[in-house]
């Protein structure tokens, strides 16, 4: 029959057949084909190629989640006796990995304040195997001066890993910053519709071979359906991010002018402490922001409970706007003292601004804030 599908099939296969034993042996030895889907799968390879091209890295590897990408990448780089320097403001799951899992394997982890460049440079100077960064951060959208810090880590021969999930590949371009491995939680902007759990590690050599091998051993590989959904999401990524950027800027300005809001954290606002770094390191300010309601915990909770268009949910980066109070979920494990240090107050709301008509979001926030 004439005509080929515009959209490639989803290769729902766990294994691959060969015409003869020599072909099979050849593929096992030279890795020049498919043998088993925990190693590679055509749907996953296609998603990987699309992301590698978008980011300009040698290769991207698909994982079953952002955390699978992070854990595999970190374990591929560090050994017992090694030292990691990282920031306190990293994603909750990553913090647990650094704080309670890796020390058990003999890895020493030093936490620094992400906006204290002098402190970070001093810690880098003491020697390290891995500099692990995340930018922008959750939930205060601090923007880290990654090029400066990565350059310092390189003089010590360290690997540099960056979690760029919040920026997406459209708003931040770390390929020339000295970053060896760039992480994306595909669950967020790449998939973009709150319907897939996935992760990627974009790698430069020799890291891509090491990560591929460890992914094969740990087994946290992306599945073909998630690869398909991610590929579908990637087709509209630039369009969506444009809209996320515009909507978030408009919502941030609206909130900043609202009498019942005591603070807005958005790197696109001149009032944000990292506005200048953001202008330098990002080509768009993103769809994430947080704000403080001029109320206590219960008053803030009432505002949350009145939201209609904006859904009360964790996660971020999808077409639908989502909001939550970080102290009730992502930062629930922190002690009051640690919360204060992290700047996560009881009246803080994190908002993932979606792609809805922006006036509907402003109307929703207006009616919800009438609770104050
Ligand atoms: C969500 C997230 C992760 C973890 O990704 P999962 O897909 O949920 O495993 C890691 N880093 C950041 C910045 C995230 O937002």
């Amino acid at each position: 029959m004439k005509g080929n599908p515009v959209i490639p099939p989803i290769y729902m296969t766990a294994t691959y057949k060969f015409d003869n034993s020599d072909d099979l042996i050849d593929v096992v030895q030279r890795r020049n084909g498919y043998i088993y889907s925990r190693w590679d799968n055509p749907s996953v390879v296609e998603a990987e190629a699309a992301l590698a091209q978008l980011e300009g890295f040698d290769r991207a590897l698909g994982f079953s989640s952002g955390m699978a990408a992070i854990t595999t990448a970190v374990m591929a780089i560090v050994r017992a006796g090694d030292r990691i320097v990282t920031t306190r403001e990293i994603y909750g799951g990553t913090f647990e990995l650094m704080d309670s899992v890796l020390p058990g394997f003999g890895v020493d982890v030093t936490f620094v304040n992400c906006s204290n460049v002098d402190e970070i440079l001093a810690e880098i100077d003491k020697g390290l195997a891995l500099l692990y960064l995340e930018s922008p951060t959750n939930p205060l959208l601090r923007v880290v001066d990654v090029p400066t810090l990565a350059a310092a880590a390189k003089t010590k021969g360290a690997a540099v890993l960056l979690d760029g999930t919040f920026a997406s590949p459209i708003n931040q371009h770390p390929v020339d910053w000295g970053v060896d491995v760039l992480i994306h939680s595909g669950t967020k902007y790449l998939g973009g519709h709150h319907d897939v759990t996935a992760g990627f590690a974009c790698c430069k050599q020799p890291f891509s071979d090491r990560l591929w091998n460890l992914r094969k051993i740990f087994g946290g590989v992306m599945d073909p359906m998630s690869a398909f959904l991610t590929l579908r999401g990637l087709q509209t990524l630039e369009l969506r991010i444009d809209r996320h950027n515009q909507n978030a800027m408009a919502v941030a300005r609206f909130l900043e002018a609202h009498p019942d809001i005591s603070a807005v954290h958005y790197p696109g606002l001149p009032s944000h402490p990292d506005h200048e770094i953001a202008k330098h390191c990002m080509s768009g300010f993103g769809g994430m922001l947080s704000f403080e309601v001029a109320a206590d915990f219960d008053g803030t909770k009432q505002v949350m409970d009145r939201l209609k268009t904006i859904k009360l949910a964790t996660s971020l980066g999808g077409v639908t706007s989502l909001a939550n109070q970080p102290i009730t979920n992502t930062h629930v494990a922190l002690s009051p003292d640690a919360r204060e240090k992290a700047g996560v107050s009881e009246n803080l709301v994190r908002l993932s601004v979606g792609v809805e008509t922006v006036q509907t979001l402003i109307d929703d926030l207006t009616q919800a804030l009438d609770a104050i």
Side-chain angles (χ1 to χ4, degrees):
M1 275 192 269
K2 285 183 185 166
N4 289 313
V6 169
I7 303 302
I10 308 169
Y11 289 90
M12 296 298 267
T13 185
T15 191
Y16 306 82
K17 63 184 176 187
F18 294 88
D19 291 339
N20 57 61
S21 301
D22 282 340
D23 281 358
L24 186 151
I25 291 165
D26 189 47
V27 170
V28 170
Q29 287 180 346
R30 296 174 48 216
R31 281 181 26 205
N32 57 352
Y34 296 101
I35 176 116
Y36 190 57
S37 282
R38 178 158 45 72
W39 297 32
D40 283 305
N41 169 285
S43 299
V44 177
V45 164
E46 202 185 339
E48 292 172 339
L51 195 68
Q53 196 193 10
L54 197 55
E55 287 289 13
F57 276 64
D58 297 339
R59 187 168 178 193
L61 293 169
F63 289 85
S64 54
S65 69
M67 281 313 300
I70 291 166
T71 50
T72 305
V74 170
M75 298 295 271
I77 294 169
V78 297
R79 314 250 160 296
D82 278 348
R83 176 166 185 258
I84 299 177
V85 173
T86 188
T87 67
R88 279 184 203 95
E89 294 81 357
I90 48 177
Y91 180 75
T94 315
F95 186 85
E96 277 190 71
L97 169 74
M98 298 284 177
D99 188 50
S100 54
V101 178
L102 289 172
F105 290 89
V107 177
D108 175 39
V109 183
T110 302
F111 292 96
V112 289
N113 177 330
C114 76
S115 51
N116 190 339
V117 173
D118 291 341
E119 183 195 6
I120 305 175
L121 290 175
E123 291 298 340
I124 290 172
D125 209 42
K126 292 178 192 163
L128 73 172
L130 171 64
L131 177 66
Y132 186 102
L133 299 173
E134 184 175 319
S135 186
T137 68
N138 176 40
L140 297 182
L141 290 307
R142 298 306 302 251
V143 182
V144 180
D145 188 352
V146 179
T148 300
L149 301 177
K154 286 285 134 190
T155 67
K156 296 285 167 187
V160 178
L161 206 152
L162 172 67
D163 181 340
T165 299
F166 270 40
S168 89
I170 305 300
N171 285 333
Q172 182 169 270
H173 312 282
V175 66
D176 298 322
W177 291 356
V179 171
D180 299 296
V181 180
L182 171 67
I183 300 288
H184 283 291
S185 166
T187 314
K188 314 296 169 54
Y189 287 107
L190 306 184
H193 296 75
H194 307 304
D195 55 11
V196 57
T197 303
F200 285 96
C202 305
C203 311
K204 294 193 178 145
Q205 282 296 10
F207 298 95
S208 39
D209 287 347
R210 281 202 244 162
L211 261 79
W212 184 87
N213 198 48
L214 216 60
R215 182 183 71 175
K216 179 173 68 105
I217 297 168
F218 286 173
V221 71
M222 181 176 279
D223 69 276
M225 188 67 190
S226 298
F228 169 79
L229 288 170
T230 305
L231 273 167
R232 183 186 164 115
L234 285 178
Q235 296 184 53
T236 55
L237 182 65
E238 200 177 338
L239 267 179
R240 285 186 284 112
I241 297 295
D242 263 1
R243 181 66 168 246
H244 285 297
N245 290 345
Q246 284 172 33
N247 278 5
M249 184 59 110
V251 169
R253 288 209 175 108
F254 159 78
L255 289 169
E256 201 168 45
H258 197 288
D260 294 323
I261 299 296
S262 52
V264 181
H265 307 276
Y266 183 64
L269 292 176
S271 59
H272 191 278
D274 301 325
H275 182 58
E276 290 306 317
I277 302 177
K279 280 203 288 193
H280 180 62
C281 293
M282 302 180 77
S283 51
F285 298 117
M288 295 300 299
L289 60 85
S290 60
F291 59 90
E292 290 165 43
V293 180
D296 60 6
F297 175 76
D298 286 325
T300 308
K301 200 164 70 157
Q302 277 174 35
V303 174
M304 302 297 301
D305 290 348
R306 286 170 64 108
L307 289 170
K308 294 191 179 88
T309 307
I310 300 168
K311 309 296 177 218
L312 174 60
T314 193
S315 198
L316 61 111
V319 291
T320 316
S321 294
L322 306 179
N324 67 62
Q325 273 174 280
I327 69 160
T328 65
N329 54 94
T330 50
H331 291 68
V332 74
L334 296 189
S335 67
D337 185 47
R339 254 179 229 159
E340 202 184 301
K341 265 202 191 124
V344 181
S345 51
E346 61 173 6
N347 57 343
L348 184 74
V349 174
R350 186 185 81 175
L351 180 57
S352 171
V353 182
V355 302
E356 300 93 337
T357 303
V358 72
Q359 194 57 45
T360 64
L361 301 178
I362 290 172
D363 289 348
D364 197 26
L365 287 161
T366 302
Q367 65 79 23
L369 284 164
D370 280 346
I372 305 292

